[in-house]
Amino acid sequence: MQKTANEDILQKKIENVSKDMKDEELMDVCKDFESIFIHMMLKEMRKTIPDDGFIEKSTGTKIFEDMFDEEMAKRISDSEENGIGIAKMLYDQFKNQNTIRI
């Protein structure tokens, strides 16, 4: 089945409008994913540090450490150097796929 001229025009409009907004949204989602990944990695890394037993960690300390790890993960993924690169790779992968079709 052939596309009509109206369908071609509509397809181009959809691509132009969605490119600007969706590119930024896509990068935000990719950075959010990278941030979650880094947070999980930092949390698992923290588990490998042995407790010396001298001072037990309170619930408040554990909550603070988790919040600190989460904030560090956000800052790493939002850094100018593209975080650890996962967000950029995901963005490039999704960007190369043409997902809007009529």
Side-chain angles (χ1 to χ4, degrees), residues 33-45:
F33 176 82
E34 183 179 72
S35 176
I36 292 168
F37 178 81
I38 293 170
H39 180 237
M40 291 173 64
M41 185 175 64
L42 291 173
K43 196 169 13 174
E44 292 302 313
M45 289 169 63

Side-chain angles (χ1 to χ4, degrees), residues 91-98:
Y91 176 82
D92 291 341
Q93 184 69 32
F94 285 125
K95 186 75 178 143
N96 289 334
Q97 294 178 353
N98 186 5

Side-chain angles (χ1 to χ4, degrees), residues 19-36 73-74 77-78 86-88 90-92 94:
K19 278 183 185 177
D20 295 335
M21 293 177 64
K22 289 195 177 191
D23 286 349
E24 191 174 317
E25 291 173 6
L26 178 60
M27 187 50 125
D28 288 343
V29 170
C30 292
K31 283 184 178 183
D32 288 345
F33 176 82
E34 183 179 72
S35 176
I36 292 168
K74 286 179 187 176
S77 67
D78 284 339
I86 293 174
K88 177 83 169 105
L90 285 172
Y91 176 82
D92 291 341
F94 285 125

Side-chain angles (χ1 to χ4, degrees), residues 7 9-11 16 27 30 66 71 76 80 85 87:
E7 288 176 339
I9 292 170
L10 181 59
Q11 180 68 32
N16 289 337
M27 187 50 125
C30 292
D66 188 55
E71 185 62 30
I76 290 170
E80 293 295 322

Side-chain angles (χ1 to χ4, degrees), residues 41-87:
M41 185 175 64
L42 291 173
K43 196 169 13 174
E44 292 302 313
M45 289 169 63
R46 191 175 292 283
K47 288 180 184 178
T48 65
I49 300 172
D51 282 337
D52 59 0
F54 183 67
I55 299 175
E56 279 193 42
K57 289 186 178 180
S58 68
T59 304
T61 303
K62 292 176 185 176
I63 291 172
F64 174 79
E65 287 177 347
D66 188 55
M67 288 171 43
F68 179 76
D69 291 343
E70 186 175 357
E71 185 62 30
M72 288 301 296
K74 286 179 187 176
R75 290 185 183 217
I76 290 170
S77 67
D78 284 339
S79 70
E80 293 295 322
E81 294 84 28
N82 294 326
I84 61 174
I86 293 174

